[in-house]
Amino acid sequence: MPVNETILRVTISFLVLFLLARLMGRKEIGQMTFFNWASAIGIGSIAGNLAVNESTRIKDGVIALIVWTLFTMAMDMIDLKSKQGRTVTTGEPLIVIKEGKIMEGALKISRVDLDELQALLRQKDIFSLIDVDYAILETNGDLSVLKKESKQAVTKNDLNIMCPKKDLFPLPTEVISDGKINPGNLSKLHLDKNWLDIELQKAGVHSAEDVFFAQVQKDGTLYIDRKNK
């Protein structure tokens, strides 16, 4: 392949890849799901093939890059707009430790063994399972950990003279996402839609469709983030 053609191919491949990467957003490596990671590798492979493989026509390589990127962006839009679609494309966080007990079924589903779990805990500066109240394996493979109260760091609020109220729920729980109520989570908290409607009315919200995100806190209060702020 002539040098001039090589330079042209590399230049086109670089510019197209740069523009498409800007269009796809600024998600960091640690925030990427397995699909995002695999898709990025696919785009990189097509760009590399376009740059050095003379049997691949420049037009075909550019079209392949654009179409692959459009598919990836379509999947991202599904993630943003549909709770059900997000469950299919990226999965859901899994509780792997609940109230200090290891959830063996969740570990099997996520294909994480005990050694990997302990390694993830050590990355959070936790070297004993006895210190953990809840641990949740996120869709990007990261582990979120809630330590037991006796092992948590002291905060300014902890030093308040007033006696803290007893928590009603073990974890903050999402009940509305992008205007849609999550009846499953309400049921787990032994709450219903009537309770949710009353709490929304107290906050001056007339419909769940006006709420972007709502979360029941550990003390039973409702955090509300409205749409179109």
Side-chain angles (χ1 to χ4, degrees):
M1 185 166 54
V3 174
N4 291 341
E5 183 179 350
T6 301
I7 294 174
L8 176 63
R9 282 176 171 271
V10 171
T11 302
I12 293 175
S13 177
F14 178 84
L15 292 176
V16 173
L17 186 60
F18 174 77
L19 291 173
L20 296 179
R22 294 289 292 174
L23 284 174
M24 287 188 292
R26 301 184 180 184
K27 189 173 292 185
E28 297 178 2
I29 296 296
Q31 299 173 317
M32 296 176 70
T33 63
F34 177 78
F35 172 77
N36 296 139
W37 179 74
S39 181
I41 290 177
I43 291 174
S45 298
I46 295 173
N49 193 56
L50 168 62
V52 299
N53 190 349
E54 60 182 335
S55 64
T56 301
R57 294 190 301 176
I58 294 177
K59 181 181 72 174
D60 294 338
V62 172
I63 291 174
L65 276 174
I66 293 173
V67 172
W68 190 292
T69 301
L70 289 176
F71 277 130
T72 302
M73 294 175 66
M75 297 297 286
D76 287 341
M77 289 300 298
I78 292 174
D79 286 349
L80 290 172
K81 298 296 183 181
S82 171
K83 177 74 172 179
Q84 292 77 14
R86 187 158 58 246
T87 301
V88 173
T89 57
T90 64
E92 291 183 317
L94 290 173
I95 298 178
V96 292
I97 298 178
K98 181 179 180 180
E99 297 177 350
K101 298 179 181 179
I102 299 174
M103 300 288 101
E104 297 178 17
L107 288 180
K108 290 180 180 178
I109 292 173
S110 59
R111 294 181 176 85
V112 173
D113 57 41
L114 283 174
D115 291 338
E116 290 176 300
L117 177 61
Q118 291 181 80
L120 290 171
L121 288 172
R122 287 194 294 271
Q123 292 175 14
K124 302 292 182 180
D125 296 326
I126 297 174
F127 291 83
S128 176
L129 287 169
I130 200 173
D131 297 340
V132 180
D133 193 16
Y134 276 81
I136 300 174
L137 188 65
E138 307 293 352
T139 55
N140 63 356
D142 196 13
L143 189 70
S144 300
V145 180
L146 177 66
K147 293 183 180 180
K148 292 182 177 178
E149 287 189 6
S150 60
K151 300 296 181 180
Q152 293 178 13
V154 177
T155 64
K156 292 182 179 179
N157 190 54
D158 294 327
L159 300 176
N160 197 319
I161 298 175
M162 296 177 60
C163 296
K165 296 180 180 179
K166 185 177 180 180
D167 291 332
L168 297 177
F169 306 110
L171 288 172
T173 304
E174 168 198 311
V175 291
I176 299 178
S177 177
D178 199 15
K180 296 180 181 178
I181 297 173
N182 189 324
N185 283 353
L186 279 174
S187 178
K188 290 177 183 177
L189 299 177
H190 303 292
L191 301 173
D192 55 24
K193 188 175 180 296
N194 289 332
W195 175 89
L196 183 60
D197 289 339
I198 292 172
E199 293 300 313
L200 291 175
Q201 289 173 11
K202 288 180 181 178
V205 179
H206 301 292
S207 172
E209 295 180 355
D210 299 330
V211 178
F212 182 69
F213 180 79
Q215 185 182 59
V216 177
Q217 303 303 299
K218 294 169 65 175
D219 61 1
T221 59
L222 185 67
Y223 167 80
I224 299 172
D225 184 77
R226 304 188 188 194
K227 290 184 177 179
N228 301 322
K229 295 184 292 299

